[in-house]
């Protein structure tokens, strides 16, 4: 009789459970009763499966923190590489700018020196220009702007 009463009680509780009319306490009692009962094979397998799956695996927390730390370190490594690349690029730009500036200044200085020489040669040429009286002239050098002539 006791077995029949327990079975009826279990069947009633299972009926309420499948209709979603049980409280959390009733579900806990039902699950423990079904798992311990040898005759409820289908529900026993279902409840035992859910009970095993509901348990948090050991070491899960440490594994999660290790994965988070690894990902964080990977991002830090990526940032460091990015900063290194940016720094190297900035150095190349600075060196290139200085080189081009020095080259431009050197070219400007050479052009200025050439202009001074050209002006000096022009003044020498002007002072040595033959007058109408002189017939013999010796032309040393002729350019678009400069002529070197000796009498």
């Amino acid at each position: 009789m006791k077995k029949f009463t327990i079975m009826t009680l279990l069947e009633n509780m299972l009926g309420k459970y499948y209709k979603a009319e049980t409280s959390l306490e009733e579900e806990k009692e039902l699950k423990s009763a079904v798992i311990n009962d040898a005759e409820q094979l289908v529900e026993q397998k279902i409840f035992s499966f859910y009970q095993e799956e509901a348990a948090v695996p050991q070491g899960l927390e440490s594994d999660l923190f290790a994965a988070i730390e690894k990902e964080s370190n990977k991002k830090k490594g990526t940032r460091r590489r990015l900063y290194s690349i940016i720094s190297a690029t900035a150095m190349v730009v600075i060196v290139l700018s200085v080189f081009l500036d020095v080259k431009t200044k050197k070219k400007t200085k050479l052009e200025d020196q050439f202009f001074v020489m050209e002006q000096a040669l022009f003044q020498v040429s002007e002072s040595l220009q033959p007058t109408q009286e002189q017939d013999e002239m010796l032309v040393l050098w002729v350019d678009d702007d400069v002529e070197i002539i000796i009498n």
Side-chain angles (χ1 to χ4, degrees):
M1 172 97 172
K2 189 175 182 183
K3 182 116 172 139
F4 179 72
T5 312
I6 293 175
M7 285 299 285
T8 309
L9 182 64
L10 275 176
E11 287 176 8
N12 288 340
M13 287 295 283
L14 282 172
K16 278 179 71 177
Y17 177 78
Y18 287 128
K19 291 178 186 175
E21 296 173 351
T22 55
S23 66
L24 290 176
E25 273 187 35
E26 290 174 330
E27 284 182 26
K28 287 180 185 177
E29 289 175 17
L30 176 65
K31 288 177 184 178
S32 65
V34 168
I35 288 173
N36 294 330
D37 188 18
E39 293 182 23
Q40 300 291 331
L41 293 178
V42 174
E43 283 83 6
Q44 189 177 32
K45 288 179 182 179
I46 292 172
F47 288 149
S48 63
F49 172 77
Y50 286 128
Q51 187 175 15
E52 290 171 10
E53 291 298 315
V56 177
Q58 273 187 327
L60 177 67
E61 184 177 354
S62 60
D63 290 345
L64 285 174
F65 283 124
I68 290 170
E69 188 173 325
K70 181 180 177 184
E71 192 66 29
S72 176
N73 288 339
K74 189 184 287 185
K75 286 182 181 178
K76 285 180 184 177
T78 303
R79 279 192 208 131
R80 286 184 185 149
R81 268 187 258 128
L82 181 62
Y83 291 149
S84 299
I85 291 170
I86 290 172
S87 299
T89 305
M91 287 302 295
V92 167
V93 168
I94 290 170
V95 168
L96 188 61
S97 298
V98 169
F99 173 74
L100 291 175
D101 186 51
V102 167
K103 189 175 178 182
T104 304
K105 285 182 180 178
K106 190 174 183 179
K107 182 179 177 187
T108 305
K109 185 178 178 183
L110 286 173
E111 287 175 351
D112 289 345
Q113 288 175 349
F114 181 76
F115 181 72
V116 168
M117 276 297 262
E118 191 176 42
Q119 290 297 321
L121 286 173
F122 182 73
Q123 287 177 359
V124 169
S125 173
E126 285 289 321
S127 66
L128 295 176
Q129 284 292 324
T131 59
Q132 298 295 342
E133 303 169 354
Q134 299 173 341
D135 293 334
E136 295 181 22
M137 294 187 297
L138 178 60
V139 177
L140 293 176
W141 185 64
V142 177
D143 192 7
D144 292 336
D145 297 326
V146 180
E147 294 179 357
I148 299 178
I149 303 169
I150 298 179
N151 287 348

